[in-house]
Amino acid sequence: MDAERHQRASTLALLNRLRLHRVPLTVQIENALRGYSTSVVAVDPDPEALHLDALYPPPALAPQPGARLRLRGRLDGGLLRFETELDALAINDDGPILRARIPDHIELLEQRAARRQPIGTGPDAPTLALEHSGNRSIAQLLDLSVLGASALAPIEAAAPLGSQLRCRFDSPSAQPFTAEVRSRTPRGRWQRLGLRFARLRREEEDRLVATLLRLERRAIRRMPLHA
């Protein structure tokens, strides 16, 4: 239940940022041949409703309640996307709107400024110990760069968007560091966390670069040889 509350709070926070900054969104209606433009007009958690501006250009046939809507846009340089279901066409003070359901989750994929080294799976694959508000969990490291990483953590791990995690690589000599949760995508019993490293000291950066070199060397040695 705590994970569900964190997920809902993160989703509402992102929706309200879209509303506050009037971020333009592209919406694809189920079975439609083209996309339309819209934006978030209002977010009502109780009763649960997401109000979207009238579609532009106006479609020849208005979408019907129950239609699936796929929306995407950009926030803080990253790609944001989510799906929802249309509840009804409505009118507010500014004119026609679409009233939809608040999505279960929003995927936010950050634009990366540094190449990330993919991490292979296997019994010797590195892990990442995470701690937030006294809760500890072990995550599988998916990729790594000098700026951040992504990891697969248990869904019950407390990791709301914007939270600061205390992290440590699985090496016995590794020192803890801080990372901010920038994206959070549920995957069944797991969640994919996008992490941005924060407040790295020079010696921490040096250790991180050394870790990257070891991972790259391991990846190269495991590449198949072609005749």
Side-chain angles (χ1 to χ4, degrees):
M1 291 299 295
D2 286 341
E4 292 178 3
R5 284 196 292 268
H6 284 310
Q7 180 62 56
R8 179 173 171 80
S10 299
T11 298
L12 291 175
L14 280 174
L15 290 173
N16 276 300
R17 287 178 64 193
L18 294 175
R19 174 191 59 81
L20 179 63
H21 299 291
R22 295 307 299 260
V23 174
L25 299 172
T26 298
V27 55
Q28 185 75 39
I29 305 171
E30 186 178 33
N31 299 323
L33 299 178
R34 59 155 302 162
Y36 300 90
S37 297
T38 186
S39 61
V40 174
V41 175
V43 181
D44 294 330
D46 189 21
E48 186 173 298
L50 172 65
H51 294 173
L52 301 171
D53 201 2
L55 301 180
Y56 182 84
L61 296 175
Q64 298 301 305
R68 294 295 298 175
L69 307 178
R70 295 191 297 273
L71 297 101
R72 68 180 187 275
R74 289 201 169 273
L75 185 66
D76 296 337
L79 175 64
L80 176 146
R81 58 194 181 199
F82 62 93
E83 293 190 12
T84 184
E85 183 176 306
L86 180 64
D87 273 344
L89 303 177
I91 300 290
N92 70 357
D93 294 339
D94 296 324
I97 60 169
L98 283 71
R99 191 173 71 235
R101 297 184 180 180
I102 291 179
D104 294 330
H105 72 277
I106 296 177
E107 187 175 12
L108 180 59
L109 305 174
E110 283 200 276
Q111 185 177 15
R112 294 173 179 173
R115 186 183 72 84
R116 290 196 179 181
Q117 172 65 39
I119 308 299
T121 58
D124 60 341
T127 58
L128 195 63
L130 307 177
E131 182 179 348
H132 175 67
S133 300
N135 298 314
R136 296 180 176 87
S137 59
I138 300 297
Q140 177 186 344
L141 200 61
L142 300 177
D143 57 47
L144 179 67
S145 80
V146 294
L147 299 180
S150 64
L152 199 62
I155 191 64
E156 63 270 14
L161 289 180
S163 60
Q164 302 288 319
L165 301 182
R166 187 175 175 85
C167 308
R168 186 194 298 267
F169 292 114
D170 57 1
S171 169
S173 61
Q175 298 296 314
F177 59 92
T178 302
E180 179 185 357
V181 179
R182 300 294 294 177
S183 66
R184 182 177 182 273
T185 306
R187 292 184 177 180
R189 296 185 299 108
W190 300 88
Q191 56 181 331
R192 185 184 187 280
L193 301 179
L195 305 174
R196 175 186 288 174
F197 300 143
R199 299 191 298 274
L200 288 181
R201 298 187 298 273
R202 177 61 182 271
E203 58 271 21
E204 292 174 326
E205 290 182 352
D206 291 343
R207 284 195 293 267
L208 182 57
V209 170
T211 300
L212 273 170
L213 290 174
R214 287 197 302 271
L215 293 173
E216 289 176 350
R217 188 178 298 114
R218 188 181 72 169
I220 291 172
R221 290 175 177 174
R222 291 184 175 184
M223 290 177 64
L225 297 176
H226 300 281

